[in-house]
């Protein structure tokens, strides 16, 4: 396993230095980050298949697609990317 220096970027992908993010903490939670969305996706798909068999195919497809959309939005919006390099967002740099 590769060791991470204090001033290297954190392997969790936060954009922070390792010393300010996960130094002294476990990085194992990174691998379990997508456990809840995967369980929700499979659960929604299972409910959709069940409804497709019992009630109607369109209802089952609608429920399954809706569950996948909700899980996708959850994954995309849960952990926003780190801010840029700072500075005044209204300032325009004309190369001076």
């Amino acid at each position: 396993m590769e060791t991470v220096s204090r001033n290297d970027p954190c392997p969790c992908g936060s954009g922070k230095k390792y010393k300010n993010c996960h130094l002294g903490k476990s990085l194992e939670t990174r691998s379990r980050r997508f456990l809840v969305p995967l369980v929700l996706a499979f659960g929604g798909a299972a409910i959709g298949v069940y409804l497709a068999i019992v009630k109607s195919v369109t209802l089952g497809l609608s429920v399954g697609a809706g569950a996948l959309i909700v899980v996708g939005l959850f994954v995309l919006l849960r952990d926003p990317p780190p801010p840029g390099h700072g500075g005044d967002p209204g300032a325009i740099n004309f190369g001076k």
Side-chain angles (χ1 to χ4, degrees), residues 37-53 55-73:
L38 282 176
V39 168
L40 290 175
F42 283 119
I47 291 172
V49 168
Y50 171 76
L51 288 176
I53 292 171
K55 297 286 183 180
S56 70
V57 174
T58 30
L59 178 64
L61 288 175
S62 300
V63 169
L68 292 178
I69 289 172
V70 168
V71 169
L73 287 174

Side-chain angles (χ1 to χ4, degrees), residues 20-34:
N20 294 330
C21 191
H22 274 97
L23 182 65
K25 300 177 188 172
S26 173
L27 285 173
E28 292 178 14
T29 58
R30 189 172 58 132
S31 63
R32 290 186 267 165
R33 212 164 82 173
F34 291 107

